[in-house]
């Protein structure tokens, strides 16, 4: 049974870089799925951030491109999110999830991790 | 790219049926059959309840069903139960930008 667990800093200063890692248990990252990041601002909806394949191929939300990078470490069976130059608007719960993509078409996300709450504040 | 449009809230009584709409454009919902729906309880992570417009993952009751007409997808919950009270989000493949779009979410109240 695949389980995902995020680990993040909790608090990040404005203008710094937010880093969150997702550890995958019970399932190998090397199985052809993509692995994605989604965030949810307080009281708001969901925003897809981006997704990565075991090969390192990535897709990013155009609105965040330039600030976001996602990497994968297959030896550790985890993947990571880096978001640079953060502001208060980046305060959110950051979720990771397994992401089905077929021929480059991004489809459903399941399961999700429990989420990592990150606050951007000085 | 804009997100998908959902009503902020819907309500129904136990045993009744409710339908939640999800409006997109001809570049996302209207073009691709890759609409999915997620259920989220307060303080919990979303869980997938419908994918590919109308397919239920294993373990999801058949009271949940999905459909699509034109640029609008819909989630119907029949035989409402108190446990169905949650937020529901739709999502669609975003097309040319290889992206994923979400709706703003709909809060379902079972009165």
């Amino acid at each position: 049974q695949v389980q995902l667990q995020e680990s993040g800093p909790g608090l990040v200063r404005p203008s710094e870089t937010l880093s969150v890692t997702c550890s995958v248990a019970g399932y190998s990252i090397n199985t052809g799925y993509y692995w994605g990041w989604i965030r949810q601002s307080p009281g708001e909806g969901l925003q897809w951030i981006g997704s990565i394949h075991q090969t390192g191929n990535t897709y990013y939300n155009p609105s965040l491109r330039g600030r976001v990078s996602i990497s994968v470490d297959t030896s550790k069976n985890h993947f990571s999110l880096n978001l640079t130059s953060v502001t208060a608007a980046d305060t959110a719960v950051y979720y990771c999830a397994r992401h089905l993509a077929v021929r480059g078409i991004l489809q459903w996300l399941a399961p999700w991790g429990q989420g990592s709450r990150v606050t951007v504040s000085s | 790219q804009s997100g998908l449009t959902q009503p902020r809230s819907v309500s129904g009584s136990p045993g009744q049926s409710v339908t939640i709409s999800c409006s997109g454009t001809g570049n996302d919902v209207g073009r691709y059959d890759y609409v999915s729906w997620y259920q989220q309880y307060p303080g919990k992570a979303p869980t997938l309840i419908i994918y590919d417009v109308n397919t239920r993952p294993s373990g999801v009751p058949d009271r949940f069903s999905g459909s699509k007409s034109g640029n609008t997808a819909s989630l119907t919950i029949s035989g409402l139960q108190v446990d169905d009270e949650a937020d529901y989000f739709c999502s669609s493949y975003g097309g040319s930008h290889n992206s994923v779009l979400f709706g703003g979410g709909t809060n379902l109240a079972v009165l």
Side-chain angles (χ1 to χ4, degrees), chain B residues 1-110:
Chain B
Q1 282 179 303
S2 300
L4 308 175
T5 301
Q6 298 181 234
R8 293 282 284 184
S9 64
V10 297
S11 63
S13 300
Q16 288 186 333
S17 294
V18 294
T19 296
I20 299 171
S21 62
C22 171
S23 297
T25 70
N27 293 321
D28 38 71
V29 174
R31 183 171 183 179
Y32 302 98
D33 288 336
Y34 299 118
V35 175
S36 50
W37 290 89
Y38 301 86
Q39 179 189 59
Q40 184 180 35
Y41 291 110
K44 300 296 186 181
T47 59
L48 178 70
I49 56 172
I50 294 286
Y51 65 95
D52 294 354
V53 176
N54 56 14
T55 302
R56 281 176 286 105
S58 173
V60 175
D62 59 7
R63 300 185 298 104
F64 294 85
S65 62
S67 62
K68 189 182 83 167
S69 178
N71 298 338
T72 300
S74 299
L75 172 70
T76 298
I77 309 172
S78 59
L80 271 178
Q81 300 180 0
V82 174
D83 285 350
D84 297 333
E85 200 163 89
D87 291 326
Y88 294 85
F89 294 89
C90 64
S91 177
S92 173
Y93 175 59
S96 59
H97 293 282
N98 289 111
S99 63
V100 176
L101 305 176
F102 281 100
T106 299
N107 179 259
L108 169 63
V110 181

Side-chain angles (χ1 to χ4, degrees), chain A residues 15-33:
Chain A
S15 80
E16 295 187 345
T17 296
L18 178 160
S19 298
V20 189
T21 294
C22 181
S23 298
V24 181
Y27 199 85
S28 173
I29 276 186
N30 292 321
T31 53
Y33 279 95

